[in-house]
Amino acid sequence: MRKRRFLLRLVMVFCLFLVANTVFAFISYHVTTWLYGRLGVEPQGFWLQLATVIGVFALFACSAAIIFFIGLNRQRNYWDTIVDALSRMAKGDFDVQLDLRADEEDQFGQLIHGINHMAVELGELERMRQEFISNVSHEIQSPLTSINGFAKALKNINLPEDKRQHYLAIIELESNRLSKISDNLLKLTSLESQHHPFEPITYRLDKQLRNVVLALEPNWLAKQIDFDLDLDNLSITADEDLMNQVWMNLLTNSIKFTPTNGTITLSMKKQFHTIMVKVQDTGIGLTEEQQKHIFERFYKADHSRTAGNGGSGLGLAIVKKIIEMHHGTIAVESKKAEYTRFLITVPINSTPTRAND
């Protein structure tokens, strides 16, 4: 495609050159004839031709010089605009959009398009960074405020013992919440770096899921939740520890937000070269707006409940990152006050990839 465009431009330039020379010869001939007439000299064939040729070259040289300087000045303005845009981006101003007319298929056009695209992406990253810092500050400040307030209340020597124990329980809960936030932040940062260890092995996925359900048995038995399992005997090549974190987080959430005497269904089926795992509960459900943000960091669909159970809003962000590292997908379907269903698809033979690959 580029070769064809180059040849087309070459032909156009050649035709333009021929047309220009014809026009210049016509103008030069008549100007030379007019000058000879003004001087009262009868033009000779040779001298008339020579003067005409010289006139053609003079006109062509002047036109080429004008075009060159116009192009040079335009190119200088282009580069000044590009350098200014890059300088603004280097200082943190990503509200940059170069409105320079250029063909996106040539190198200059690709450069302009690349700078505009980079400005948009960096601006989005900066927005996410600011939002992330704000969320971290808020999430850490909240338990610290509680700990500080109840610690001061404990200094009251006349405080009844039941209130003292209650305040201590709150301090312990908030301390655990801080620890969980810290651990999850470190885990998420490690997953996004190039230094997190990956150890893909082949193992039975159905056994892993059953073991996770058994490990959480005290939690769902305490709420008298029924567990329905429909698991085929399937093996997968993946990082077993990371995938265990996925199932632990998803099932813990399902148990947490499913009321007493509810039901959680865990099923797994093979689909061509992938495995589909469904985790469905009869819990509080999610609105359409909540479903759009459920995998974002620090997002909490139900603030009133997560505040009391120590949720950090990072669990599903970690789940999504691990699934993506295994070249898989995760989606959510839900209806408020009825059910929530997570659909996880992972390749049977998946080689985990680093965050920056």
Side-chain angles (χ1 to χ4, degrees):
M1 185 64 182
R2 289 184 178 179
K3 187 176 181 180
R4 183 181 300 175
R5 290 175 63 86
F6 174 76
L7 291 175
L8 181 61
R9 289 180 180 179
L10 190 61
V11 171
M12 291 177 62
V13 169
F14 181 73
C15 293
L16 183 61
F17 177 78
L18 291 179
V19 173
N21 274 279
T22 303
V23 172
F24 290 157
F26 179 80
I27 295 174
S28 179
Y29 174 79
H30 284 281
V31 169
T32 303
T33 303
W34 178 79
L35 286 175
Y36 275 121
R38 296 288 293 181
L39 295 173
V41 178
E42 184 67 25
Q44 299 297 322
F46 170 78
W47 296 108
L48 179 61
Q49 292 180 7
L50 178 62
T52 301
V53 171
I54 294 175
V56 169
F57 277 106
L59 288 172
F60 184 80
C62 291
S63 301
I66 293 173
I67 294 173
F68 174 77
F69 283 113
I70 291 176
L72 183 63
N73 186 57
R74 183 182 178 186
Q75 188 177 36
R76 182 179 299 158
N77 291 335
Y78 276 2
W79 285 114
D80 288 343
T81 304
I82 292 174
V83 171
D84 178 67
L86 294 175
S87 298
R88 288 170 56 190
M89 292 169 62
K91 295 177 181 178
D93 179 10
F94 303 115
D95 189 19
V96 172
Q97 278 296 308
L98 297 177
D99 190 20
L100 301 177
R101 295 182 180 179
D103 189 348
E104 292 189 2
E105 295 192 12
D106 63 26
Q107 294 179 346
F108 187 76
Q110 290 176 359
L111 175 62
I112 299 299
H113 176 74
I115 291 175
N116 288 336
H117 180 68
M118 180 173 61
V120 172
E121 293 297 321
L122 289 176
E124 181 64 17
L125 286 175
E126 177 64 15
R127 184 195 66 78
M128 293 175 61
R129 186 183 72 85
Q130 294 290 348
E131 184 178 350
F132 179 71
I133 292 174
S134 176
N135 289 334
V136 170
S137 300
H138 173 75
E139 292 297 326
I140 292 179
Q141 188 62 36
S142 179
L144 284 176
T145 301
S146 297
I147 292 172
N148 184 53
F150 287 110
K152 289 180 178 178
L154 288 173
K155 292 181 179 179
N156 185 358
I157 59 176
N158 297 321
L159 190 68
E161 184 60 26
D162 58 338
K163 285 191 175 182
R164 185 182 302 277
Q165 294 300 321
H166 177 63
Y167 292 168
L168 287 171
I170 293 176
I171 290 175
E172 182 180 12
L173 177 65
E174 295 295 342
S175 299
N176 291 335
R177 183 180 168 193
L178 270 178
S179 178
K180 188 175 181 180
I181 291 174
S182 176
D183 290 343
N184 284 337
L185 278 174
L186 290 174
K187 184 174 296 181
L188 195 55
T189 302
S190 178
L191 290 173
E192 292 178 340
S193 72
Q194 297 185 1
H195 308 292
H196 191 86
F198 295 105
E199 299 177 356
I201 61 171
T202 301
Y203 66 94
R204 284 275 296 277
L205 183 57
D206 59 299
K207 287 187 177 180
Q208 184 182 47
L209 291 170
R210 293 180 193 277
N211 289 336
V212 172
V213 172
L214 289 175
L216 295 173
E217 185 175 11
N219 302 63
W220 51 269
L221 281 181
K223 300 179 70 174
Q224 299 179 355
I225 295 174
D226 291 332
F227 245 101
D228 291 338
L229 301 182
D230 182 15
L231 306 176
D232 293 342
N233 297 334
L234 296 173
S235 296
I236 189 174
T237 300
D239 189 307
E240 187 173 9
D241 290 338
L242 290 180
M243 294 304 295
N244 192 77
Q245 181 73 50
V246 169
W247 314 128
M248 188 66 71
N249 284 4
L250 289 175
L251 291 176
T252 298
N253 272 358
S254 293
I255 295 171
K256 187 185 299 181
F257 297 112
T258 298
T260 303
N261 297 319
T263 301
I264 296 177
T265 302
L266 179 61
S267 62
M268 179 178 65
K269 300 292 182 182
K270 180 180 178 181
Q271 296 182 340
F272 300 103
H273 300 293
T274 63
I275 295 177
M276 167 75 79
V277 179
K278 296 182 182 179
V279 180
Q280 180 170 330
D281 61 64
T282 56
I284 60 177
L286 300 166
T287 65
E288 291 186 4
E289 184 65 23
Q290 290 170 340
Q291 293 176 48
K292 295 178 183 178
H293 305 285
I294 195 66
F295 296 108
E296 296 178 4
R297 302 176 185 183
F298 293 109
Y299 182 79
K300 298 179 182 180
D302 190 336
H303 290 272
S304 61
R305 298 197 63 177
T306 51
N309 57 37
S312 65
L314 289 171
L316 290 179
I318 292 174
V319 166
K320 189 172 187 295
K321 175 58 64 176
I322 294 174
I323 293 298
E324 288 177 346
M325 291 165 60
H326 287 78
H327 307 292
T329 61
I330 181 169
V332 61
E333 299 173 354
S334 185
K335 190 172 183 180
K336 194 66 176 177
E338 290 191 18
Y339 71 91
T340 298
R341 180 189 303 122
F342 286 95
L343 306 173
I344 304 94
T345 302
V346 288
I348 294 177
N349 295 305
S350 61
T351 302
T353 183
R354 302 185 187 278
N356 296 337
D357 285 354

